[in-house]
Amino acid sequence: MAAAAAVAAKITAVWRQNFKREIFRLDAALFRFPVVSFDTEFPGFFRNTPMDATDLTRYEDLKHNVDPLRLIQFGITVADASGKIGGTWEFNLRFDLSKDLSVSQSIQFLQDNGIDFDKLRRDGIDFDMFAQLLSRVVAKHRNLCWVTFHGLYDLSHTLRTVTNRPLPHSLAGFTSLLGIVFGDVVDIKYTARFCQGLRGGELGLAAIAKILNVERVGGAHQAGSDSLLTARVYTKMRMVYKIDGTLCVGCLYGVSARICKPIAVPNTNGRCFIPYFSTPAPFQRCIPPHCSGFMQAAPTFSHVL
């Protein structure tokens, strides 16, 4: 039993050299483990949003912060409906501090928490290849439940990556696209507001894990470790609080709009038609005016899933 737990707790570090092997392993695992907990690390915020901001302001700031930037790490843990862990992967993307747009305070924070930017520059996964293969995996598996903690930005950066498009112009368009691309989404920070003893959800992931006696594997503020802790906290919350699985699906902490999963329409071949994944998505990077001098123009390209 202890040996099995140790295997389940392993975090696989993914770099350029083992990327294709591990993305295919993830793809295979998703057939058996459809509950996906994920976390991202990204290079910061250009705007800080006030706590009492309206949904409109919050989304405007979100789009302003996400569109110009690219992911640094993507962590994903897969589990079955009972909470059995099927694996954890931490994808490390190529990031060059001398070229890629970033916010210095955020980079310092990540460095202080163990992220090696020299290794990311040398051995990180090519971003375009990662985006293309991850988008194929997401498009292929339409029955997943995506679990996050305070995941507005994690979802946004992941959506930005797999679609290779700027975020939609409106919050309604954003939540609609999240439903198309990801389907069922659970934000356990939102869910925690309905759990006695979790202070209305106004706690961080580590604090909730401590209350629930869930141990962390790996280091905080690294995407693989955070995704695994998210998976374990979600399982423990479901066990302790007997949470209705449909109660909080589609609700995100921080915005009132709910994600709606669309009804997939079978086509003439009997397969479900997912419109957003059926056409090429031209890549665009939107750089705020005050940042235009810090980054070279990015090339444009398109890809087909």
Side-chain angles (χ1 to χ4, degrees):
M1 184 67 71
V7 171
K10 179 183 176 183
I11 299 172
T12 300
V14 186
W15 298 88
R16 184 182 70 251
Q17 296 85 348
N18 63 339
F19 168 60
K20 288 187 177 179
R21 181 182 73 229
E22 296 303 330
I23 197 76
F24 292 135
R25 285 186 62 225
L26 169 62
D27 178 36
L30 289 172
F31 288 105
R32 296 178 52 212
F33 300 96
V35 181
V36 177
S37 301
F38 71 107
D39 181 77
T40 66
E41 301 299 338
F42 50 88
F45 307 87
F46 296 119
R47 291 179 185 167
N48 292 314
T49 307
M51 290 290 293
D52 60 350
T54 64
D55 275 359
L56 176 60
T57 298
R58 195 172 299 277
Y59 185 69
E60 286 176 348
D61 288 353
L62 175 77
K63 182 172 170 59
H64 183 85
N65 287 330
V66 171
D67 279 348
L69 301 176
R70 60 170 59 190
L71 286 177
I72 292 173
Q73 280 187 339
F74 179 78
I76 185 167
T77 296
V78 301
D80 63 17
S82 68
K84 179 183 177 183
I85 302 295
T88 298
W89 289 264
E90 184 176 82
F91 293 91
N92 296 277
L93 306 181
R94 181 181 298 143
F95 198 88
D96 189 335
L97 291 175
S98 68
K99 297 178 182 178
D100 292 313
L101 197 61
S102 63
V103 178
S104 58
Q105 298 94 322
S106 298
I107 296 300
Q108 187 62 57
F109 176 81
L110 293 174
Q111 289 174 324
D112 291 344
N113 282 278
I115 292 185
D116 185 343
F117 282 90
D118 287 336
K119 186 171 176 62
L120 287 173
R121 178 178 52 80
R122 293 193 314 269
D123 301 326
I125 304 159
D126 177 76
F127 180 86
D128 296 338
M129 181 183 295
F130 173 77
Q132 186 177 45
L133 293 188
L134 181 64
S135 66
R136 291 180 181 178
V137 170
V138 173
K140 181 177 181 180
H141 297 276
R142 306 307 306 163
N143 64 333
L144 304 179
C145 177
W146 293 81
V147 181
T148 184
F149 182 88
H150 201 173
L152 188 59
Y153 273 83
D154 297 307
L155 278 164
S156 299
H157 276 286
T158 307
L159 181 69
R160 177 82 173 92
T161 299
V162 300
T163 62
N164 270 338
R165 300 182 183 186
L167 297 182
H169 292 292
S170 69
L171 178 59
F174 171 68
T175 55
S176 175
L177 186 55
L178 286 176
I180 292 169
V181 174
F182 297 107
D184 291 335
V185 176
V186 175
D187 187 334
I188 58 177
K189 186 173 177 67
Y190 179 91
T191 306
R193 65 177 56 181
F194 304 103
C195 301
Q196 186 175 3
L198 298 186
R199 301 182 187 177
E202 300 303 320
L203 292 171
L205 179 61
I208 292 178
K210 185 175 181 179
I211 291 172
L212 296 177
N213 294 315
V214 177
E215 294 185 3
R216 176 186 288 277
V217 176
H221 304 296
Q222 298 200 31
S225 175
D226 284 352
S227 75
L228 179 54
L229 189 62
T230 298
R232 288 178 156 181
V233 166
Y234 178 59
T235 297
K236 191 67 174 288
M237 285 174 64
R238 291 172 61 199
M239 290 173 50
V240 171
Y241 298 104
K242 312 298 181 186
I243 296 171
D244 180 351
T246 62
L247 177 65
C248 299
V249 172
C251 296
L252 296 178
Y253 182 89
V255 292
S256 60
R258 188 165 187 167
I259 301 168
C260 294
K261 182 179 179 179
I263 298 173
V265 180
N267 62 18
T268 55
N269 296 321
R271 294 187 175 184
C272 289
F273 176 55
I274 309 296
Y276 203 80
F277 284 117
S278 62
T279 56
F283 181 84
Q284 300 176 43
R285 174 165 293 125
C286 302
I287 303 176
H290 67 278
C291 300
S292 59
F294 294 96
M295 188 176 180
Q296 296 179 345
T300 59
F301 71 98
S302 63
H303 71 269
V304 181
L305 299 170

